[in-house]
Amino acid sequence: MSVVADAAGLVFQPYVLLVILASAAFGMFVGAIPGLTATMATALLVPVTFFMEPVPAIAAIVTATAMAIFAGDIPGTLLRMPGTPASAAYVQDAYALTKKGRPESALGASLVFSSIGGIFGTLVLITASPVLAEVALKFSSFEYFWLVVLGLSCAVFISPGSPARGLISLFIGLFAATVGLENPAGAPRYTFGNVELMGGVQFIPAMIGLFAVSEVIRAFIHRGSDEKPPATGNRGIFREQLTNMRKYPVQALRGSALGTAIGALPGAGADIAAWISYAVSKKFSKTPEKFGTGHVEGLVEAGSSNNGAMSGAWIPALVFGIPGDSITAIVIGVLYIKGINPGPMVFITQPQMIYAVFIVFLVANLMMLPLGWLAIKGARQVLSIPQRVLMPIILMFCMVGSFAINNSVFGIWLMLVFGIIGFLMEENDIPIAPAILGLVLGPMLEQNFVTSMIKSDGSFIAFFERPISAGLGIFTIAVWMLPLAMLLLRRKGRGTASSEPSN
Amino acid sequence: MRVTDLTLGVLTLLGGIAIFISAMGFKAIPGQDYGAGTMPRAIALVTVLTGVFLIVKAVMAGERLPGLRLAEWTGNTAALARMAAVLLLILAYILLSPVLGFLTTAVAVMLLAMLVLRVRLVIAVPVALVAALAIQQSFGKLLLVPLPRSPFLPFLW
């Protein structure tokens, strides 16, 4: 117990608490601006943490990322522009609620269930981290291949409209991901001799283009109809959440658990966790038809999932020194600079450090509630500004955000191209979300696919030879078969229904 | 601009074939059968299948080429002009901001965009000025993004 007391002593100091507060505000700010991600918040914090002791340094990063992942929901809900990719999975539902005049319902659910997911993930991190990490360690390229395919399949089947259109969207994203030098043979692909394209299609400008610029273009076209910002009621942000907790306890728990597990897998972070959880929620829902129309259920599950994943990602990072996502990859670098080598030995040599990290996680996730409330109160004012005034400013934010990734106007070119693509896609009822996921996971899919093919000498049977791989593979194929089975069942149902009256 | 399922299927099919042909030239990892072309070929294959599926489905439903339905707004010249305006403003920012600097270009672009949307000048001018300054201060100063300097306003950096 003295270890825990030591750890608490490290955390509960005025300086550390001040750092937590400041980085929370910073995380909220960065996460709430479309185009700036939680990863970017971490990267920007690193130079500042160089001047800190290990505990406040880690506290700053943990707090900022947790806040940024939640804050990404705010512009997603109010403006349909997910502030971070982890919010993209359920942005449709959240925005639909805003359109119905109930942004508080969406934001309240995001906030409360983000906090719940984060705390759940932390508890798992504390109790079961060695076990989970050991399972993840056994994964080879085959398991990763299936995991990515599963994530992508879910993205296609959760998208509104027909799966064929979802597939087209996915291929646009996957194809964009093949651009550049980053491939197994290191050969330039689709770069047309352009040096900037050799680095590949940057995710952030593409996301800003697809999600935000297409919306700006649409706003300019439909100026005549002049959409008034939806009136916001005076309902409390937290009040509805008790009802939600009673109504969707299973969803919250499942989202937290699945998110934590996915986060613990190296390479799979909050983004993929949110997508899979949203899909799972839809599949098991009693009212799947309500998803995408402003239904809180998916928000509850995916919202707890992405914050669970944020905590879960630290499991392999702390226990084995393998980053669970890009954020923990940066963290591992910081820890090395501080003279702490993450791995099993830290648990033996510096247990108070590990416990301090656990305490920081709990503090950050609890502080999210009051700070998030403040952020929502502030951000809601955005809606009271008329769209015609807001859209030009948003356009400027988009351009600066796209520029900021590489400090080059090439990002704005990319943003423009993807803005037009996104606009045309939406005009044709092609969902945008699968394209985003294809772009993010494309490189990982390719790497694991090609590695697996080389290892197996081109035999597909090898993808099912390892037990976990086989399980994941069969599960993925089952996901593919589901719409087909549903179609057959519906036909059968319609057949009996139409034959009944004649009887 | 809305294309029908049949047109979409044909476009998808053609896209898949184009990716496949372009991927044939990509090198494999030396000594291996797989490499840079593996993934694009796999994408092409599934794209072609999706295209064929869409075409078959559309033909069975009795669709015919050419299938292009124009949305209502495409008949509205003002709407088309506004769409062109926003694209041109983005282009203008890309081309002019390195020369004129962030503040000047940003104020001009936002001001023009608001005027296109018929925001009154009394509101548009102060909003454009304040927004540009706020973005410059938060991104340029706080986040250290090297926004292009305005030659006329060096004192703000």
Side-chain angles (χ1 to χ4, degrees):
Chain A
M1 219 43 211
S2 71
V3 175
V4 180
D6 282 353
L10 285 172
V11 175
F12 293 108
Q13 290 176 8
Y15 173 66
V16 178
L17 293 176
L18 198 70
V19 165
I20 290 179
L21 200 67
S23 41
F26 174 73
M28 285 281 179
F29 171 72
V30 175
I33 296 175
L36 301 186
T37 61
T39 316
M40 193 167 176
T42 317
L44 291 168
L45 261 181
V46 168
V48 184
T49 58
F50 282 150
F51 302 102
M52 295 178 189
E53 294 290 307
V55 171
I58 294 173
I61 294 173
V62 169
T63 317
T65 47
M67 296 299 160
I69 296 269
F70 156 68
D73 294 350
I74 298 177
T77 305
L78 298 182
L79 299 165
R80 198 168 163 266
M81 294 169 197
T84 62
S87 304
Y90 45 86
V91 66
Q92 182 118 2
D93 268 312
Y95 187 64
L97 274 169
T98 302
K99 285 254 164 177
K100 287 181 187 169
R102 292 168 54 206
E104 309 91 349
S105 306
L107 288 171
S110 295
L111 177 57
V112 170
F113 290 95
S114 285
S115 177
I116 290 177
I119 290 171
F120 182 95
T122 310
L123 293 179
V124 174
L125 174 69
I126 294 171
T127 51
S129 55
V131 185
L132 269 172
E134 235 168 294
V135 175
L137 260 190
K138 286 183 190 148
F139 278 27
S140 71
S141 61
F142 295 107
E143 283 84 5
Y144 279 119
F145 169 77
W146 282 121
L147 201 70
V148 175
V149 173
L150 183 62
L152 295 176
S153 309
C154 289
V156 167
F157 292 118
I158 59 170
S159 57
S162 71
R165 283 181 147 75
L167 271 173
I168 291 174
S169 173
L170 176 64
F171 299 142
I172 292 173
L174 283 176
F175 176 69
T178 65
V179 174
L181 280 173
E182 281 292 317
N183 57 69
R189 291 190 302 203
Y190 307 111
T191 56
F192 308 105
N194 182 318
V195 181
E196 301 252 28
L197 269 181
M198 286 195 181
V201 171
Q202 298 281 330
F203 169 69
I204 304 290
M207 185 186 84
I208 294 176
L210 287 173
F211 274 113
V213 176
S214 60
E215 189 74 34
V216 172
I217 296 176
R218 211 170 2 264
F220 269 73
I221 288 173
H222 297 293
R223 188 206 62 90
S225 60
D226 199 18
E227 281 177 58
K228 280 249 165 67
T232 48
N234 283 324
R235 276 178 296 247
I237 292 162
F238 294 118
R239 205 173 306 156
E240 283 179 39
Q241 304 321 320
L242 278 176
T243 328
N244 280 338
M245 260 183 245
R246 273 198 293 271
K247 215 168 158 189
Y248 305 118
V250 180
Q251 282 81 349
L253 201 68
R254 196 169 51 199
S256 305
L258 195 62
T260 309
I262 293 169
L265 300 170
D271 310 352
I272 184 169
W275 288 103
I276 293 183
S277 278
Y278 188 84
V280 165
S281 191
K282 189 177 178 182
K283 277 283 173 258
F284 287 98
S285 172
K286 287 190 189 105
T287 52
E289 73 281 353
K290 283 191 187 164
F291 276 68
T293 64
H295 193 47
V296 185
E297 193 176 347
L299 260 174
V300 165
E301 186 149 352
S304 25
S305 176
N306 59 14
N307 274 73
M310 209 237 111
S311 310
W314 283 66
I315 296 170
L318 281 180
V319 182
F320 294 99
I322 299 170
D325 57 8
S326 48
I327 294 167
T328 42
I330 300 174
V331 169
I332 286 179
V334 173
L335 287 176
Y336 272 116
I337 293 168
K338 299 279 169 212
I340 299 164
N341 298 352
M345 282 309 284
V346 184
F347 282 78
I348 300 159
T349 56
Q350 292 163 297
Q352 72 279 12
M353 271 297 307
I354 301 291
Y355 280 97
V357 171
F358 294 160
I359 293 171
V360 164
F361 261 102
L362 290 175
V363 171
N365 279 300
L366 286 174
M367 269 191 23
M368 192 191 285
L369 293 173
L371 289 173
W373 181 81
L374 279 176
I376 292 172
K377 282 279 169 194
R380 239 173 47 177
Q381 308 308 320
V382 171
L383 272 188
S384 60
I385 309 168
Q387 291 248 318
R388 313 189 219 177
V389 178
L390 203 56
M391 279 303 167
I393 300 173
I394 289 171
L395 179 64
M396 192 48 64
F397 263 107
C398 293
M399 292 198 280
V400 173
S402 304
F403 175 84
I405 301 310
N406 274 356
N407 297 330
S408 127
V409 284
F410 181 71
I412 314 179
W413 281 111
L414 268 183
M415 176 206 85
L416 176 61
V417 170
F418 276 89
I420 296 170
I421 292 175
F423 174 75
L424 290 177
M425 281 167 74
E426 292 225 306
E427 285 285 299
N428 285 293
D429 284 336
I430 298 174
I432 283 172
I436 291 285
L437 205 66
L439 186 58
V440 178
L441 291 178
M444 196 171 158
L445 177 67
E446 170 161 32
Q447 191 204 334
N448 288 303
F449 177 55
V450 173
T451 311
S452 301
M453 288 301 270
I454 289 173
K455 276 199 271 191
S456 69
D457 258 334
S459 150
F460 283 103
I461 296 164
F463 285 81
F464 294 94
E465 269 171 358
R466 298 161 57 93
I468 300 176
S469 166
L472 282 169
I474 290 167
F475 186 64
T476 309
I477 292 170
V479 170
W480 295 345
M481 292 301 150
L482 248 159
L484 206 70
M486 299 264 272
L487 197 76
L488 287 175
L489 271 176
R490 217 176 299 150
R491 281 239 170 107
K492 217 173 166 189
R494 208 182 297 151
T496 49
S498 58
S499 60
E500 263 166 17
S502 59
N503 289 342
Chain B
M1 212 175 347
R2 237 191 99 85
V3 295
T4 58
D5 271 9
L6 185 54
T7 319
L8 190 64
V10 172
L11 286 175
T12 309
L13 180 65
L14 291 177
I17 293 171
I19 297 174
F20 195 88
I21 293 171
S22 64
M24 295 210 290
F26 291 142
K27 274 181 258 154
I29 299 171
Q32 298 289 348
D33 296 333
Y34 306 99
T38 311
M39 185 70 182
R41 273 198 287 268
I43 296 172
L45 191 73
V46 195
T47 308
V48 166
L49 287 177
T50 310
V52 170
F53 170 78
L54 273 172
I55 292 170
V56 169
K57 214 177 101 180
V59 168
M60 275 166 66
E63 269 186 40
R64 258 165 236 274
L65 280 173
L68 187 71
R69 260 173 277 143
L70 292 178
E72 235 173 273
W73 59 264
T74 45
N76 181 342
T77 326
L80 280 174
R82 282 197 299 270
M83 181 185 173
V86 68
L87 299 179
L88 284 175
L89 282 173
I90 297 174
L91 269 179
Y93 179 85
I94 294 174
L95 298 175
L96 293 180
S97 69
V99 187
L100 299 177
F102 171 76
L103 273 181
T104 328
T105 327
V107 170
V109 165
M110 281 190 280
L111 190 63
L112 285 172
M114 275 186 258
L115 292 180
V116 167
L117 294 175
R118 293 221 195 119
V119 178
R120 277 176 301 148
L121 259 180
V122 196
I123 298 169
V125 173
V127 167
L129 280 173
V130 170
L133 264 176
I135 293 173
Q136 189 261 319
Q137 288 298 309
S138 58
F139 277 86
K141 280 253 168 93
L142 216 63
L143 300 175
L144 301 175
V145 176
L147 296 170
R149 280 166 192 247
S150 297
F152 324 114
L153 306 156
F155 55 90
L156 284 164
W157 262 261

